[in-house]
Amino acid sequence: MRTGPFLLRRVFAGVLLGVVLVLIGFFSWVHYRSGQYHHREDLVLSSYRGAVATCVAAGNPASVCSARGYRACLADPFWLVGKPFSLDVPVPADEAGDRCRSSTGS
């Protein structure tokens, strides 16, 4: 016949293992979703960086190309999507402005 403490230890070990597995799964999912967001952000910024470089290569003044790229970057609908797992639903305009400014050279 089994004793009570033996069953309690098995149940406790099972619950502890279950909680650890759920936490590992949750943090992996958070890391995956954050990675998706940052990958998309990098794609958006690199496309505007390329557009500014193409504009300058076409013989336009760099300041005009940078300003045009900066305005287009700020108007991109990507910035309307909130960061995953952030308390601020929309991305603050100053953060989008900083990212666009650094990628377009404005």
Side-chain angles (χ1 to χ4, degrees):
M1 178 170 242
R2 294 184 177 162
T3 61
F6 177 73
L7 288 176
L8 186 60
R9 281 186 297 225
R10 282 181 41 193
V11 168
F12 179 70
V15 168
L16 186 63
L17 180 65
V19 168
V20 167
L21 290 176
V22 167
L23 286 175
I24 289 172
F26 174 73
F27 286 115
S28 298
W29 179 68
V30 167
H31 182 70
Y32 173 72
R33 291 288 295 141
S34 297
Q36 282 182 325
Y37 176 84
H38 292 298
H39 178 69
R40 175 73 176 123
E41 180 184 38
D42 289 342
L43 287 176
V44 167
L45 293 175
S46 66
S47 71
Y48 288 110
R49 191 177 306 120
V52 168
T54 303
C55 178
V56 170
N60 298 311
S63 61
V64 172
C65 293
S66 293
R68 201 179 294 162
Y70 177 72
R71 286 192 305 271
C73 181
L74 280 181
D76 195 289
F78 170 77
W79 301 114
L80 299 176
V81 177
K83 283 184 171 181
F85 314 109
S86 174
L87 297 178
D88 300 332
V89 176
V91 175
D94 57 343
E95 184 179 344
D98 291 342
R99 302 287 173 116
C100 289
R101 188 174 297 111
S102 67
S103 78
T104 58
S106 291

